[in-house]
Amino acid sequence: MGNWINLIVVLHVLIALAIIGLVLLQHGKGADMGSGFGGGASGSLFGATGSANFLSRTTAVLATLFFISSLGLAYLATSRPKEGGGTVMDRGKQEQPAKPAAEPKAEPKPAPAQPGKEVPQ
């Protein structure tokens, strides 16, 4: 399932970049007035109005694909199976810390003798 999510995320980013590029290529509504006075748009590949229709339709299709991929990612993110518990903090509480290796116990040292007191033997 992780591979599908990665694939959808990559497609989602590519679609977003394509939408950005197409929006930047499109002319605004005020640009039509300039083309009427010899702006050079009539000699383009799609004609004076053909490029606007092609670019706007392509943008609409990519926007629809972007919306569908957004819904798909939201669904996949919420329908993931629980992996060993709830949140990351909950999983941390469930794991027990590793116990340190048993160290050899040192013999207790006798208390130093104080002057005037004898140490029993």
Side-chain angles (χ1 to χ4, degrees):
M1 181 137 111
N3 291 336
W4 284 106
I5 292 175
N6 290 339
L7 178 68
I8 294 174
V9 168
V10 168
L11 287 175
H12 192 71
V13 170
L14 290 176
I15 290 170
L17 292 173
I19 289 173
I20 291 170
L22 285 174
V23 167
L24 290 175
L25 284 176
Q26 291 180 18
H27 296 290
K29 294 192 182 241
D32 293 337
M33 191 166 111
S35 67
F37 297 107
S42 60
S44 67
L45 179 64
F46 300 105
T49 59
S51 66
N53 289 337
F54 175 75
L55 291 176
S56 61
R57 286 181 187 163
T58 306
T59 304
V61 168
L62 286 177
T64 304
L65 291 174
F66 184 83
F67 183 70
I68 290 170
S69 66
S70 296
L71 291 176
L73 284 171
Y75 174 74
L76 289 175
T78 57
S79 67
R80 278 189 180 173
K82 303 271 183 190
E83 296 175 1
T87 64
V88 174
M89 296 297 289
D90 292 338
R91 279 185 261 153
K93 290 177 186 174
Q94 291 174 357
E95 295 176 5
Q96 298 296 326
K99 293 183 180 179
E103 296 178 11
K105 294 186 178 180
E107 301 262 339
K109 294 181 181 178
Q114 296 178 353
K117 292 186 179 179
E118 293 186 22
V119 178
Q121 295 180 345

